Amino acid sequence: MGDLTSRERIAGLVLARPGRLLGMEPFMADVVQGIEEVFDGRRVSLLIEFAADTAEEIEIWRRWVPNRHVDGIVMVDLRTKDPRLAELERLGVPAVLLGGPELEAPITNVLVDNAEGARAAVRALADLGHRDIARVSGPRDMLHCQARDDAFMATCAEQDVDGRVIEGDYSEDAGRDATRRLLTGSRVPTAVVYDNDLMAIGGLAVAKELGVAVPGQLSVIAWDDTAVARLATPPLSVVTVDVHGLGTIVGEAILAVMDGGDVTTYQVPKPTIRLAGSTARPAVA
């Protein structure tokens, strides 16, 4: 790709998101801020494009790499039988995957323990006395969502809790739709764990619309400690990962591979639960 010392280098990130999830959700915005903090002053920039799906993401990579638009790629949201891994190998471009699980594929990986976050959420709610907990997940073809689903259901069984999962797509509308189904069904949970802050915000809106008090009648935990979660009414209890710090690890990782470093797995601190105003003991029937 020419003399990399004489020009600014560029790392590319494509976000494949459904049409109704416009722009960049708060989690990814915080990750990007962390990456750009690492790049600042080091003659490296981050190029971001949006795609409707992974097929379109691959097409963008095929435009980027031969035309030397990027020197490395950050990949997110690994999926079942993901064609992007083989495509990265074919393109021969330095790359980093954000999110697990650990791979046999030769790619540097920033590994997040998604299962532990789900286990911690169920335990926290069970400790408060909840015995009927729902989870609103992201798209189930994403491996990190599968890891959370499996750990959620297994921990519900261990804690003698009734658990169920409804699939969403990370949008606020998906949170609204799932919450309406849960709160108007024949069996109403006393707590819901949402896979991101936007779906939780949608859930809070529907609970308010239906006259279901949070946390008096419904406790809520959201994934990711973002400003959106902290500014919600009530402030959201969260599965907390240092998302900005996660971005800085990704930034250092992509710099290392663009510099010719070995394939590495980076471990990030395990997620924990921070309880706030959206959780309480369940109301006595």
Side-chain angles (χ1 to χ4, degrees):
M1 291 195 179
D3 182 1
L4 298 183
T5 61
S6 64
R7 68 172 178 85
E8 185 169 297
R9 290 184 291 173
I10 297 173
L13 167 64
V14 180
L15 296 175
R17 295 290 186 267
R20 66 177 181 170
L21 192 62
L22 299 174
M24 194 180 299
E25 68 267 40
F27 169 85
M28 195 53 66
D30 283 359
V31 169
V32 164
Q33 188 179 35
I35 294 171
E36 292 185 326
E37 182 179 290
V38 171
F39 287 178
D40 186 40
R42 297 166 88 164
R43 294 180 57 78
V44 185
S45 295
L46 183 65
L47 173 62
I48 301 172
E49 288 197 33
F50 293 88
D53 52 33
T54 53
E56 188 177 328
E57 179 175 357
I58 287 171
E59 288 306 312
I60 292 171
W61 290 354
R62 288 173 178 171
R63 168 165 49 82
W64 277 353
V65 176
N67 293 312
R68 301 186 176 184
H69 290 165
V70 299
D71 304 286
I73 287 175
V74 177
M75 175 177 148
V76 298
D77 299 329
L78 186 69
R79 289 165 163 82
T80 307
K81 297 178 180 176
D82 200 313
R84 293 176 297 169
L85 291 174
E87 185 64 24
L88 285 175
E89 198 166 2
R90 191 189 72 79
L91 290 169
V93 64
V96 167
L97 169 66
L98 169 57
E102 289 183 86
L103 299 170
E104 295 176 9
I107 181 172
T108 286
N109 184 19
V110 179
L111 189 64
V112 179
D113 191 342
N114 284 284
E116 178 55 32
R119 286 191 288 265
V122 173
R123 290 184 193 125
L125 290 167
D127 287 348
L128 286 171
H130 291 275
R131 289 294 173 265
D132 193 333
I133 305 172
R135 165 174 153 74
V136 180
S137 77
R140 284 198 182 138
D141 68 331
M142 293 183 180
L143 292 187
H144 71 270
C145 292
Q146 293 175 26
R148 294 177 185 183
D149 285 351
D150 293 347
F152 175 86
M153 293 304 296
T155 309
C156 283
E158 290 166 10
Q159 298 286 331
D160 194 26
V161 166
D162 287 327
R164 65 198 126 144
V165 179
I166 294 181
E167 183 178 12
D169 65 9
Y170 286 136
S171 69
E172 189 174 339
D173 284 346
R176 289 174 182 270
D177 296 345
T179 306
R180 192 176 304 280
R181 284 169 58 191
L182 289 167
L183 297 184
T184 58
S186 58
R187 194 179 110 220
V188 177
T190 61
V192 182
V193 180
Y194 294 87
D195 229 3
N196 75 338
D197 46 10
L198 289 183
M199 292 196 296
I201 294 296
L204 290 179
V206 167
K208 185 175 182 180
E209 177 190 324
L210 295 176
V212 176
V214 176
Q217 295 168 280
L218 181 73
S219 285
V220 169
I221 292 180
W223 226 277
D224 303 321
D225 183 10
T226 65
V228 168
R230 293 188 289 274
L231 294 172
T233 304
L236 290 170
S237 298
V238 290
V239 180
T240 178
V241 176
D242 178 4
V243 183
H244 181 270
L246 188 59
T248 63
I249 295 171
V250 174
E252 296 289 359
I254 191 66
L255 279 181
V257 296
M258 289 194 300
D259 286 338
D262 293 335
V263 171
T264 307
T265 294
Y266 294 79
Q267 298 278 354
V268 302
K270 287 185 180 294
T272 57
I273 302 298
R274 191 185 75 239
L275 297 182
S278 67
T279 46
R281 291 190 170 277
V284 178

